[in-house]
Amino acid sequence: MKNFNLNLKKMVKLRGVPIALAATVLATSLTGCGKKAECNVEGSHAHLYTNEQGYEAYYNKEYLTYDGYERQEEYIPLSEEELALCKFLDKKDLIKLEDNLDVILAQQEQNKDYIEYRYSYRKTIRRKVGKVWTHRRVTRYSWTSDPNHSNLTGETRLCHYVYQACNVYIDEHGKYVVIPSEEVDDIRDLVDEYTYVRKVYYKIINLENNLELDYEDGPDCDEELKNEEAVTQSYNDTNIEYAEGPTLTKSY
């Protein structure tokens, strides 16, 4: 499937993911660096960096913290070719599958399938026609894992975790390229054939159609408004009532 990017922030908001994983997601999404560290190692090399969840990676950096990871004293020397690969892996947010397998398997063990329930809610939308604002009340739909949520429609879906790894090759132009694996139910199926995973290596799909979860899939706005009576007036913030619904974010 295309678009393997996981929306973990969305998952944190809607699924109540363990705090440790939420911290990992937020930390690894940062690109800023910490303070410089002292280093007496000569020549090109990469230090081992680890985070609180146990993930590790080698970076050609001399920062105390980098991308949510903390620098360790352990390091490896790098040839010119290895240095180029190290920088490419950093740019693509790739880490070694074998080096992180235990932590990945522990996370996979937590990733149990679950059911979500579709519900409706009312929302006011506004449009500007000429110099005048119009607003209408419309029905929207989203999903929750709470079976006691209000305004349930009776529709359900089974949410399922899938995993992906990748390899890195040099193409005919001498450039590094990432070749992803198929999505699988168990990361162990990829260990013998693939070397790397992205820092966000899994996503959640609707098991019925194998599509990534969509939390705002209500009817088209224009279709919904055909039977709504338009209210035309000067726009004022106090005239708009926004119904509660999920906060949508973008990710991997």
Side-chain angles (χ1 to χ4, degrees), residues 131-174:
K131 297 183 179 180
V132 179
W133 287 97
T134 66
H135 65 275
R136 302 176 174 88
R137 295 283 286 174
V138 298
T139 301
R140 287 289 179 263
Y141 299 89
S142 192
W143 297 84
T144 177
S145 58
D146 179 7
N148 298 312
H149 195 283
S150 60
N151 301 320
L152 296 182
T153 65
E155 296 180 60
T156 62
R157 64 184 181 187
L158 181 59
C159 303
H160 177 67
Y161 291 83
V162 291
Y163 304 83
Q164 190 176 55
C166 58
N167 280 326
V168 173
Y169 297 99
I170 298 179
D171 64 15
E172 64 274 16
H173 305 292

Side-chain angles (χ1 to χ4, degrees), residues 4 17 33 54 60 62 99-100 103 107 122 240 249:
F4 190 76
V17 172
C33 303
N60 176 237
E62 298 298 349
D99 292 349
N100 295 281
V103 184
Q107 181 60 56
R122 298 286 286 172
I240 302 297
T249 55

Side-chain angles (χ1 to χ4, degrees), residues 9-53:
K9 289 184 181 179
K10 180 196 304 179
M11 184 173 64
V12 169
K13 291 179 179 295
L14 299 177
R15 280 284 297 138
V17 172
I19 293 177
L21 177 58
T24 303
V25 175
L26 296 178
T28 56
S29 67
L30 301 176
T31 56
C33 303
K35 296 181 179 180
K36 283 275 190 175
E38 293 185 4
C39 181
N40 297 321
V41 179
E42 297 182 358
S44 296
H45 62 279
H47 282 278
L48 174 65
Y49 281 75
T50 62
N51 67 12
E52 293 182 354
Q53 288 67 49

Side-chain angles (χ1 to χ4, degrees), residues 21-249:
L21 177 58
T24 303
V25 175
L26 296 178
T28 56
S29 67
L30 301 176
T31 56
C33 303
K35 296 181 179 180
K36 283 275 190 175
E38 293 185 4
C39 181
N40 297 321
V41 179
E42 297 182 358
S44 296
H45 62 279
H47 282 278
L48 174 65
Y49 281 75
T50 62
N51 67 12
E52 293 182 354
Q53 288 67 49
Y55 292 94
E56 62 180 52
Y58 281 91
Y59 293 120
N60 176 237
K61 303 291 182 182
E62 298 298 349
Y63 295 105
L64 290 174
T65 60
Y66 178 72
D67 204 21
Y69 286 65
E70 294 185 1
R71 199 193 80 157
Q72 309 299 318
E73 291 304 314
E74 180 181 338
Y75 71 91
I76 55 175
L78 298 175
S79 66
E80 184 176 345
E81 181 179 346
E82 290 169 336
L83 176 60
L85 175 59
C86 183
K87 291 181 176 180
F88 179 81
L89 298 178
D90 180 12
K91 179 180 179 181
K92 296 297 183 180
D93 280 338
L94 297 177
I95 58 178
K96 280 283 193 71
L97 173 56
E98 183 179 7
D99 292 349
N100 295 281
L101 185 57
D102 289 344
V103 184
I104 291 172
L105 290 177
Q107 181 60 56
Q108 179 175 281
E109 183 63 24
Q110 296 183 45
N111 293 347
K112 304 297 185 182
D113 291 359
Y114 60 95
I115 296 175
E116 284 190 334
Y117 307 84
R118 195 171 190 235
Y119 68 93
S120 64
Y121 61 96
R122 298 286 286 172
K123 180 178 181 179
T124 299
I125 64 170
R126 63 189 182 92
R127 292 177 177 176
K128 191 174 184 180
V129 180
K131 297 183 179 180
V132 179
W133 287 97
T134 66
H135 65 275
R136 302 176 174 88
R137 295 283 286 174
V138 298
T139 301
R140 287 289 179 263
Y141 299 89
S142 192
W143 297 84
T144 177
S145 58
D146 179 7
N148 298 312
H149 195 283
S150 60
N151 301 320
L152 296 182
T153 65
E155 296 180 60
T156 62
R157 64 184 181 187
L158 181 59
C159 303
H160 177 67
Y161 291 83
V162 291
Y163 304 83
Q164 190 176 55
C166 58
N167 280 326
V168 173
Y169 297 99
I170 298 179
D171 64 15
E172 64 274 16
H173 305 292
K175 302 292 185 180
Y176 287 108
V177 293
V178 177
I179 307 297
S181 72
E182 295 183 355
E183 294 167 356
V184 297
D185 297 324
D186 190 329
I187 194 71
R188 287 170 291 196
D189 295 340
L190 305 174
V191 171
D192 294 333
E193 187 177 353
Y194 292 89
T195 305
Y196 304 100
V197 292
R198 297 188 186 278
K199 288 181 179 177
V200 185
Y201 50 86
Y202 64 90
K203 73 176 181 183
I204 311 173
I205 63 171
N206 181 347
L207 192 57
E208 181 178 355
N209 56 23
N210 291 327
L211 296 178
E212 193 169 355
L213 301 186
D214 180 2
Y215 285 92
E216 189 70 22
D217 64 341
D220 181 81
C221 178
D222 292 332
E223 291 296 321
E224 181 69 24
L225 295 180
K226 286 181 179 178
N227 296 322
E228 293 275 351
E229 180 179 354
V231 180
T232 304
Q233 61 184 38
S234 297
Y235 173 68
N236 185 311
D237 283 340
T238 60
N239 296 329
I240 302 297
E241 298 179 7
Y242 290 96
E244 292 186 1
T247 301
L248 301 181
T249 55

